[in-house]
Amino acid sequence: MKRFELIAPCHFGLEAVLKKEIYDLGYEITQVEDGRVTFAGDAEAICRGNIFLRTAERILLKAGRFHAETFEELYQGIKALPWEEYLPADGKFWVAKASSVKSKLFSSSDIQSVAKKAMVDRMKQEYFMEQFPESGASYPIRIFLYKDEVTVTLDTTGDSLHKRGYRYLGSKAPLSETLAAALILLTPWKADRIFVDPMCGSGTFPIEAAMIAAGIAPGMKRHFLAETWDNLFAEGLWEDCFSEAEELVNKDISVDIQGYDMDGDIIKAARENAKRAGVDGMIHFQQRELCDLHHPKKYGFLFLNPPYGERLEEKEALPALYREIGEAYGRLDAWSMYVISGYEDAPNYIGRKADRNRKIYNGMIKTYYYQFLGPKPPRRNRKTEEHT
């Protein structure tokens, strides 16, 4: 089977998490850059990457890379790529996105126009056709320029991988599914440890935790653009990979995952989202104020995505909110707490310096992943401790 270079974009600052995921799937990492991990694989790797990777935003098939400082160099570089190996004669192809950073060519619309012309000219040359019907499957192209290095890719995913297919309703500022999964995977939490999100909103943190615990592949309940690429994928390959995902699910696992929110309507939405994700029986959702947070057991994990205070009136309320978070955490015995926030002064009001602090970009917003680490449970007493 033909080998490809595949690029998996991710949130800036979370490349190591994605790298481990790809290794665990059995593929070779060829390059790690800011916000993306490149790995080698065949057509099956494209299927499995889309279905199984929790922290990637999409899977891009790398068509080529070259240096270009002028539009003529861009044209020639793209025309030199073997488009006939990727695009059938009736394929619908266009440059869906062109981005440029620190490069002499910076106009996205001009890059898109020149690239499309170069692709068409190459296709004319190889297929001996003057017109292309573009009536078949869709093949969107994504082009990235960085310091005049041009990377040309085909998007195999379609809708971003954060769209698992379970979010029917959301809160005002929901955490993306890929980011939530990455933040959980950054911690030592396992399915046998308590998991509580006291400000759960539409339930993303608890739902992603339950999916991880049950081995539910994030892409099981959705479709991908490349499923229609009959020229690159053997018949039945996608079905085989979906079947592999089904076989790995284990919902019989015992978990203690809880989600709370002060808004009753949001809790209803969270329950519906969990049901659509197939994990509603694994999560306890309840309408509850943060000040009412308590848990009798030790060694649990607290995950929070509180408001960032982007608007002035919201920012004024943050000190009191983070003091309340600190007080709630203080009532728990030997727990760890993980807070993603755009509020730099959060630890000051929580009342404790974070043991670790990781900068992560949530979209265009710079955030901090504050990690307050509790003690590990005694190894010999761990099972007893968690069942008392």
Side-chain angles (χ1 to χ4, degrees), residues 86-293:
Y86 304 113
L87 308 177
D90 67 343
K92 180 182 179 181
F93 57 98
W94 73 102
V95 181
K97 182 176 181 180
S99 62
S100 177
V101 177
K102 299 179 181 179
S103 298
K104 294 180 178 64
L105 302 178
F106 56 85
S107 168
S108 296
S109 59
D110 288 338
I111 292 168
Q112 290 171 304
S113 177
V114 170
K116 173 74 175 189
K117 183 178 188 308
M119 292 167 66
V120 169
D121 288 349
R122 171 76 183 209
M123 297 279 281
K124 285 180 178 179
Q125 174 184 306
E126 296 299 322
Y127 282 109
F128 304 104
M129 297 169 61
E130 285 299 314
Q131 298 287 333
F132 294 92
E134 299 200 46
S135 57
S138 295
Y139 296 78
I141 311 300
R142 289 177 171 250
I143 300 176
F144 308 92
L145 282 78
Y146 180 68
K147 293 183 178 179
D148 301 320
E149 288 296 313
V150 184
T151 302
V152 186
T153 69
L154 290 88
D155 178 11
T156 74
T157 302
D159 286 338
S160 171
L161 290 176
H162 82 268
K163 295 186 178 180
R164 316 290 206 213
Y166 67 71
R167 186 179 294 191
Y168 178 66
L169 294 169
S171 51
K172 283 185 180 179
L175 192 66
S176 85
E177 294 84 339
T178 47
L179 180 54
L183 296 178
I184 295 168
L185 292 174
L186 265 177
T187 77
W189 179 80
K190 302 296 180 188
D192 62 346
R193 304 288 293 276
I194 304 160
F195 184 110
V196 176
D197 180 354
M199 303 174 71
C200 71
S202 56
T204 308
F205 258 144
I207 291 170
E208 289 296 320
M211 291 176 69
I212 290 169
I216 298 174
M220 274 180 54
K221 297 193 174 186
R222 57 160 289 173
H223 291 285
F224 305 98
L225 199 59
E227 289 181 62
T228 61
W229 296 3
D230 296 337
N231 59 318
L232 293 178
F233 295 88
E235 186 176 355
L237 181 57
W238 280 97
E239 289 79 1
D240 289 345
C241 293
F242 279 114
S243 295
E244 177 191 0
E246 291 280 358
E247 291 169 3
L248 293 173
V249 174
N250 176 20
K251 292 187 183 178
D252 294 330
I253 190 167
S254 178
V255 294
D256 185 348
I257 300 174
Q258 304 174 29
Y260 305 115
D261 199 277
M262 63 185 294
D263 188 327
D265 290 335
I266 287 296
I267 285 295
K268 289 179 184 178
R271 288 195 183 108
E272 181 61 30
N273 290 339
K275 184 177 180 180
R276 289 164 62 90
V279 295
D280 49 320
M282 299 175 66
I283 307 171
H284 173 67
F285 285 112
Q286 184 179 337
Q287 182 180 359
R288 183 188 288 186
E289 299 274 357
L290 178 61
C291 61
D292 295 327
L293 176 65

Side-chain angles (χ1 to χ4, degrees), residues 318-370:
L318 292 186
L321 172 62
Y322 282 90
R323 271 194 294 267
E324 189 175 358
I325 290 172
E327 290 167 1
Y329 179 46
R331 292 193 295 270
L332 300 169
D333 188 2
W335 280 48
S336 297
M337 180 170 71
Y338 298 85
V339 182
I340 181 169
S341 175
Y343 189 43
E344 292 186 46
D345 294 330
N348 295 336
Y349 294 103
I350 288 172
R352 173 180 163 180
K353 183 180 179 182
D355 296 289
R356 295 175 187 165
N357 179 13
R358 194 184 191 107
K359 288 183 183 179
I360 295 167
Y361 277 86
N362 185 1
M364 298 303 292
I365 304 171
K366 183 172 71 172
T367 64
Y368 304 88
Y369 194 35
Y370 299 112

